Amino acid sequence: MKKQPTYEELQQENEELRTENRRKDERIAYLERMLFGSKRDKAPKVDSSNGPTLFDDFFKKACDEKDKAIEEAREQINEEARIRRSRKSAKSQRPSAYKYAGLEERWHTEMPKDINPDDYDVIGKDVTRTLHCDPAKFWVECTERPILRLKADKNAAHPKIVQAPVPVSVIGGNHVGADVLAKIIIGKYEHHLPEYRQVKMLKETGVTLSVSTVNNWVHAVADKLYPLYESLGEDIRNSDYLQIDEVPWRIADRKGKCRHGYAWQFRDARPDSHGLYFYYLKGSRGGEIPRAQLKDYQGAIQTDGYKVYDYFEKQDGVTLLGCMSHILRKFVEAERSCPGVASKAIEYIELLYTQEENLRERKASYEEVATARREKGLPIKDAMEAWMKVASTTTTPSDLLGKALDYAYKLWPRMRNYTLDGRYHLDNNDVERGQRPSVLGRKNYLFSHDDRGAEDNAVFYSLLESCDVVQLNPLEWLTDVLGKIKDDMDEEQIRTLLPYQYKKSRE
């Protein structure tokens, strides 16, 4: 006869089944959200009317003391935020007026019909402005170079022959100008138009080109700009505050399928940023890339929790900073899957971001920012750390909350370093925003055919995104630089063409 389970055994089995069902619910909720839900980091609000959350007893025992310590800081931060938000006027979805500054204006006067204008005096007028455009116009520059002989040498055995030099070509062959090349490059890397689509658009204007021709031009321009790209990389590495991240790129160098490659992005995060640069080496995401790029580096490095960055914690003269935005995402995932479990952590993080917004709004100096973070930010982080210690006793490493806690614990010492300098950011969102053009481009032209194409992408994204960082018109910059850069230029001459230096020279 089979032995009947005891009450304790049934209770344990019931608890195991509850835990298993809860984890399945979390996974289902996560997958549904990936398919249908919002990808925003903002967590849903917890409805306290539904009763106590899962960890309320733990909070009351272990977190009340820390919460009381930050209560005054919380009230001050929230009150300043309330005043700041009340001052902001609601922005209209439409501009108050449409202005076309700098455009050509073509005037004409429209008189009423069936009148004699000489019988009337003009006592006022109304002006209507209507925006028009002419179709894009391409033209061919034909340069004649007469061959001249000195008249006095007409019958001489060795007459003096002179001719104007051949115009300097941008990429060889004298068949395409810098303005056309710049337009194609900007179309692809700023407006995400694949080359075949640009060829179709050019044909509509009367210019018939093959996709392979345009592709060869793009590669040739990348070769032309490569010394500038290398100089930009050196300039960015000289910054004492860098943000680093990796972005996946697809490489179609295998028959019938693509492989994942990674480009590394290094962004100068100083207030007076010089820009950013991408680095691609056969698609590698290995730790040897940042170690080689930042050999002997001295300064602050801000990253996410990818393990290859742990190497820099042992480097003398390097301050490693974490990203609160990545920590927030983990807790948001846990909260959405099981409402109530991570709401307290999200509340602490939102309070830290509110403090940062308050400081930016009142244009606090870097010294004031660092002081405010030490006086109010660190106590908030201490309170959150106390909550994490309690919450870690109620979950397992495989739960979403457990994963969020493990991720946050790893980065917590780095997160406290943001108080060392008022220039430091709470997250590395700036470097992630710099990846958007490459991601949008990837969705349009899908992949690079080989590593060479990916390296060319790194050249263009680095230089053009640096123009955006320093607020320089990339089309004007590229058109001008393509006409000026020469193969025999020294390093100092090349540096003057970098987006940051180029803009400074024109201010």
Side-chain angles (χ1 to χ4, degrees):
M1 183 176 179
K2 188 175 180 181
K3 183 180 177 181
Q4 294 294 325
T6 64
Y7 174 77
E8 289 77 13
E9 290 173 337
L10 289 173
Q11 192 175 28
Q12 182 180 356
E13 182 180 357
N14 183 50
E15 185 61 31
E16 290 174 353
L17 289 172
R18 284 175 178 271
T19 302
E20 184 179 352
N21 285 335
R22 179 165 56 83
R23 290 176 182 169
K24 287 181 178 179
D25 288 342
E26 288 180 353
R27 294 190 187 100
I28 292 171
Y30 175 80
L31 292 172
E32 287 180 342
R33 190 163 56 258
M34 291 296 100
L35 285 172
F36 313 114
S38 170
K39 303 300 188 294
R40 296 175 63 195
D41 292 338
K42 192 172 180 63
K45 297 295 183 182
V46 178
D47 186 0
S48 58
S49 63
N50 292 334
T53 55
L54 185 60
F55 304 125
D56 274 352
D57 291 339
F58 291 101
F59 294 153
K60 289 175 181 177
K61 293 177 182 177
C63 301
D64 281 357
E65 185 177 344
K66 291 290 185 181
D67 267 350
K68 288 178 182 178
I70 67 169
E71 190 59 36
E72 183 179 353
R74 189 201 309 269
E75 291 178 359
Q76 292 175 353
I77 292 171
N78 287 333
E79 177 62 18
E80 185 176 353
R82 185 191 66 77
I83 296 173
R84 168 172 56 82
R85 290 163 183 157
S86 67
R87 285 199 302 262
K88 287 188 175 180
S89 58
K91 293 183 178 179
S92 171
Q93 295 298 315
R94 296 184 178 182
S96 58
Y98 293 91
K99 298 180 180 178
Y100 313 113
L103 295 183
E104 174 193 357
E105 292 184 342
R106 302 176 185 178
W107 289 81
H108 75 277
T109 302
E110 190 75 22
M111 299 294 289
K113 294 182 179 179
D114 303 325
I115 69 162
N116 183 0
D118 295 334
D119 296 338
Y120 294 84
D121 292 325
V122 177
I123 60 173
K125 64 180 178 180
D126 292 321
V127 177
T128 301
R129 285 179 167 84
T130 306
L131 184 66
H132 291 279
C133 72
D134 292 325
K137 184 177 181 181
F138 287 79
W139 53 280
V140 178
E141 181 182 13
C142 301
T143 304
E144 267 189 358
R145 297 184 299 116
I147 302 173
L148 306 177
R149 182 189 64 199
L150 193 64
K151 289 183 177 181
D153 293 344
K154 182 176 181 180
N155 298 317
H158 302 287
K160 183 179 181 180
I161 306 294
V162 295
Q163 186 181 29
V166 178
V168 178
S169 62
V170 179
I171 56 172
N174 277 307
H175 47 262
V176 60
D179 47 359
V180 175
L181 292 171
K183 183 178 177 63
I184 291 172
I185 300 301
I186 295 298
K188 180 174 181 178
Y189 292 99
E190 285 284 298
H191 306 308
H192 325 297
L193 294 171
E195 290 161 5
Y196 77 88
R197 200 176 300 168
Q198 293 198 58
V199 166
K200 184 177 180 181
M201 294 168 66
L202 288 170
K203 190 172 183 179
E204 294 171 357
T205 65
V207 180
T208 302
L209 297 170
S210 67
V211 176
S212 61
T213 296
V214 173
N215 183 256
N216 289 336
W217 288 354
V218 171
H219 286 305
V221 174
D223 292 341
K224 186 86 172 179
L225 296 175
Y226 198 81
L228 204 58
Y229 165 73
E230 288 188 315
S231 182
L232 176 66
E234 183 178 351
D235 187 40
I236 299 301
R237 287 191 297 269
N238 286 332
S239 169
D240 66 346
Y241 178 22
L242 291 177
Q243 292 179 341
I244 309 175
D245 203 5
E246 328 86 55
V247 58
W249 289 354
R250 285 193 287 264
I251 316 299
D253 57 357
R254 298 177 181 178
K255 189 175 181 179
K257 61 181 180 180
C258 290
R259 64 178 171 91
H260 259 314
Y262 284 87
W264 294 77
Q265 186 194 158
F266 301 80
R267 181 187 174 96
D268 178 5
R270 294 175 297 181
D272 190 24
S273 175
H274 288 204
L276 56 86
Y277 83 102
F278 287 85
Y279 183 78
Y280 180 91
L281 182 62
K282 298 181 180 179
S284 172
R285 200 190 180 198
E288 67 276 2
I289 303 294
R291 289 198 293 270
Q293 288 288 303
L294 301 179
K295 184 180 179 182
D296 301 325
Y297 177 79
Q298 301 285 295
I301 299 175
Q302 190 162 31
T303 70
D304 57 22
Y306 186 30
K307 62 183 180 180
V308 302
Y309 301 120
D310 297 348
Y311 167 83
F312 294 102
E313 285 188 316
K314 305 171 186 177
Q315 294 295 106
D316 293 334
V318 173
T319 300
L320 205 55
L321 305 170
C323 175
M324 187 60 80
S325 181
H326 281 79
I327 294 175
L328 175 61
R329 291 172 198 170
K330 302 290 184 181
F331 284 114
V332 167
E333 290 297 333
E335 178 66 16
R336 285 178 172 170
S337 298
C338 189
V341 301
S343 59
K344 195 70 175 179
I346 295 169
E347 179 186 330
Y348 288 129
I349 296 173
E350 288 180 345
L351 191 60
L352 289 169
Y353 273 105
T354 301
Q355 182 189 30
E356 294 299 304
E357 291 171 8
N358 293 342
L359 293 168
R360 280 194 297 270
E361 179 70 17
R362 59 178 146 105
K363 298 179 180 178
S365 66
Y366 299 129
E367 293 76 12
E368 292 172 334
V369 171
T371 300
R373 289 172 174 176
R374 286 192 294 269
E375 293 178 351
K376 298 178 182 178
L378 282 183
I380 294 171
K381 290 190 174 183
D382 290 338
M384 182 173 172
E385 186 175 8
W387 174 87
M388 290 194 296
K389 289 179 180 178
V390 175
S392 65
T393 65
T394 64
T395 186
T396 64
S398 59
D399 291 336
L400 288 176
L401 179 62
K403 293 177 180 178
L405 290 168
D406 181 66
Y407 188 87
Y409 267 126
K410 176 184 175 182
L411 293 183
W412 211 245
R414 304 178 192 176
M415 295 309 310
R416 298 178 68 88
N417 287 337
Y418 91 128
T419 63
L420 299 176
D421 193 323
R423 299 177 306 154
Y424 297 160
H425 299 287
L426 189 56
D427 53 46
N428 68 344
N429 286 349
D430 284 346
V431 73
E432 291 198 342
R433 279 191 287 269
Q435 298 172 0
R436 286 178 181 175
S438 71
V439 174
L440 288 171
R442 185 180 67 209
K443 290 181 178 180
N444 282 273
Y445 45 78
L446 302 180
F447 51 77
S448 299
H449 284 288
D450 50 34
D451 285 329
R452 183 197 174 194
E455 290 169 3
D456 289 352
N457 290 348
V459 172
F460 290 122
Y461 282 128
S462 299
L463 294 167
L464 299 180
E465 288 309 301
S466 292
C467 286
D468 288 343
V469 170
V470 304
Q471 298 182 338
L472 184 65
N473 185 309
L475 179 60
E476 293 179 1
W477 172 83
L478 184 57
T479 303
D480 192 23
V481 165
L482 284 177
K484 289 181 176 179
I485 191 168
K486 302 292 187 294
D487 294 337
D488 58 351
M489 295 177 75
D490 58 34
E491 180 63 25
E492 192 57 38
Q493 291 174 314
I494 290 175
R495 279 178 54 83
T496 62
L497 299 179
L498 294 178
Y500 179 83
Q501 303 294 342
Y502 182 93
K503 184 181 180 182
K504 286 294 182 183
S505 67
R506 280 156 177 73
E507 290 179 349

